[in-house]
Amino acid sequence: MNNESVNAVYWLAGERAVRLLDQRALPAEERYTLCHEVETVAGAIENMTVRGAPAIGIAAAYGVALAAARGGRSAVPPAAERLARTRPTAVNLFTSLERMKRRFETEPLFEGEALFEVLLAEAAAIHEEDVAGNRRMGAFGARLLPEEAVVMTHCNAGAIATGGHGTALGVLRSAREMGKKIVRVYADETRPLLQGARLTSWELNRDGFDVTVISEGMAGALMKQTHIDAIIVGADRIARNGDTANKIGTYGLSVLAKVHNVPLYVAAPWSTFDLNAASGEDIPIEERAEEEMRLLPDGSRLPESIQVWNPAFDVTPAANIAAIITERGVFHPPYDFK
Ligand code: MRU
C-alpha cells in the first residue's frame, strides 16, 4: 500500500521542463511526457495526457513559466492565450492563467531570468496551495462520512486530477487517515474515455482501497440493491447558485441519488468556483471529437451514417447536491456563493 498519492504534474528544475504523467496510457503503463515548450503543454491538455480541472490549471501555470524561460517577456501573453484555448469548461484553467497574468503585469520591468523566476514561483505556489487545499477539504469532507463507509464516485477526481491528494478521492484518503474505514468504493467506468475504469480504479487500488468498477448504467441497479452511504464527485466549474459542471454522467447520477436517498457531495477547491456564472446556464460545455464515441471496445468504429453526440460535461442542478465540500468548509443548500 502506498501512503503517498501519485502526482500528475512535476516541474523539473534541471531540465526546465514540465513532466506529466501520461494519463492516456494508464493503467497499462506508467509513463511520463516531458514538455519543453508551451505548445507541448497545450497539446497535452487538449489530448488529455493531463486532465482534471486543478491539474489542468497547474500544468498551464507551469506552461506560462516555460514560455518565459524559452521566449522571454514577449512570449508570455501569446502563451497564456494559447493555453486558454485548450479546454473550455474547467474554470481552474482560467483562474490559474489569470493569476499568472496578474503576476506578469505586476513586474513590468522584469525580463529574462528574473521574469522566469517570479513566474515559476507563482506556478509552484498555485501547485502547493492546491495540495494544501485538498488536504483541508479532505478533512472537512471526511467528517460527513460514517465510521464505515461505502462510497460511489464518478470520473477521476483523485490525486492525478489535481496537484496531489485529490478532491473526491482526497476525502476518502483523509477519512482513512482519520481512522474511518472505507469499506468499498464503486468507481463508475465513465464513458467514453473511461477515467473511472482506467484512472480511479488504478489510483485507489495502488493506495490499497477496495475498489469495484461499474458502468454508469449499473449505478441505479446498484443503489437499489446495495446501501451506498455517499456519492462523492469532483467539479469543473461551480456557479454562484451551486449548479455544478462535472464529467458527463454526473447529472444522471444525481437524479438516481435523489430517488434512492443517497447524498451526492461535490468536493472542489475554491479555484473551481466561477462567481461570474449565476447558474449552470452560464457554464460553457466542451464537446469533444466524435471519434471518442465512434470507437467501440473491439476496435471497430460506428459508421459515419450514424450520428453521435459527445459532450464532455453536464450540469448537476444545485437542488441535487447535498453539500459542497471545499477547503473553506462544507456548504449546504441553499447555495449563494460570493
Ligand atoms: O475530462 P476530464 O477527465 O478532465 O474531466 C475531469 C472531471 O470531470 C473531474 O471530475 C473534475 O475535473 C474534477 S478533478 C478534481
Side-chain angles (χ1 to χ4, degrees):
M1 190 203 291
N2 285 294
N3 291 320
E4 267 313 300
S5 59
V6 67
N7 285 331
V9 186
Y10 304 79
W11 174 257
L12 292 191
E15 294 236 12
R16 291 207 165 171
V18 186
R19 182 178 185 245
L20 299 172
L21 172 65
D22 188 342
Q23 301 192 31
R24 298 166 308 168
L26 290 171
E29 202 189 327
E30 197 173 321
R31 71 169 185 234
Y32 291 84
T33 298
L34 274 192
C35 308
H36 290 96
E37 305 292 335
V38 70
E39 184 51 39
T40 330
V41 177
I45 296 173
E46 279 166 350
N47 69 24
M48 295 177 67
T49 297
V50 61
R51 34 68 49 202
I56 292 171
I58 293 162
Y62 284 124
V64 173
L66 201 55
R70 295 278 174 271
R73 197 163 184 95
S74 63
V76 171
E81 275 163 37
R82 169 69 184 99
L83 289 160
R85 285 197 307 273
T86 51
R87 296 191 73 191
T89 304
V91 77
N92 308 58
L93 172 66
F94 305 98
T95 316
S96 223
L97 289 173
E98 269 309 308
R99 193 166 150 182
M100 294 303 287
K101 212 171 122 201
R102 274 201 304 279
R103 194 72 187 97
F104 173 72
E105 284 165 359
T106 52
E107 304 295 359
L109 301 178
F110 279 25
E111 294 280 350
E113 206 51 25
L115 178 67
F116 162 64
E117 290 293 346
V118 293
L119 292 180
L120 179 62
E122 194 69 13
I126 291 172
H127 193 168
E128 281 158 26
E129 287 166 28
D130 186 67
V131 182
N134 287 346
R135 291 208 147 267
R136 280 199 298 279
M137 178 193 310
F140 284 126
R143 293 189 200 125
L144 296 171
L145 296 178
E147 287 306 311
E148 300 203 345
V150 176
V151 175
M152 189 185 285
T153 190
H154 187 66
C155 192
N156 172 270
I160 60 173
T162 65
H165 196 67
T167 57
L169 302 192
V171 170
L172 305 183
R173 289 195 169 93
S174 295
R176 194 166 67 170
E177 282 167 15
M178 219 178 250
K180 293 191 174 182
K181 185 165 184 203
I182 304 300
V183 177
R184 175 158 297 162
V185 184
Y186 288 101
D188 276 0
E189 173 185 54
T190 319
R191 279 279 292 154
L193 295 182
L194 312 185
Q195 289 92 331
R198 295 190 306 102
L199 308 177
T200 295
S201 67
W202 173 80
E203 187 181 319
L204 289 177
N205 186 51
R206 186 182 176 279
D207 281 5
F209 285 92
D210 180 315
V211 58
T212 302
V213 174
I214 58 166
S215 76
E216 32 282 44
M218 298 166 191
L222 184 71
M223 282 186 229
K224 195 162 177 215
Q225 67 185 59
T226 305
H227 178 76
I228 307 286
D229 292 293
I231 299 172
I232 313 181
V233 297
D236 284 79
R237 200 184 284 234
I238 302 174
R240 284 205 304 274
N241 71 346
D243 287 355
T244 294
N246 189 49
K247 179 52 56 196
I248 188 74
T250 308
Y251 167 60
L253 205 58
S254 79
V255 174
L256 286 170
K258 257 199 140 166
V259 171
H260 293 281
N261 238 342
V262 180
L264 180 134
Y265 300 123
V266 170
W270 209 250
S271 55
T272 303
F273 285 76
D274 180 358
L275 301 183
N276 293 318
S279 75
E281 306 244 312
D282 301 320
I283 300 179
I285 299 294
E286 174 183 11
E287 289 211 20
R288 292 188 59 86
E290 286 187 5
E291 194 54 26
E292 292 176 352
M293 281 298 294
R294 284 197 187 282
L295 204 57
L296 299 174
D298 66 357
S300 65
R301 296 176 74 257
L302 286 175
E304 298 297 331
S305 55
I306 296 169
Q307 286 152 54
V308 297
W309 182 50
N310 188 19
F313 303 96
D314 57 24
V315 174
T316 297
N320 291 4
I321 302 171
I324 300 181
I325 306 161
T326 78
E327 71 274 37
R328 300 185 184 187
V330 176
F331 295 83
H332 297 275
Y335 306 106
D336 183 17
F337 296 103
K338 292 190 169 69

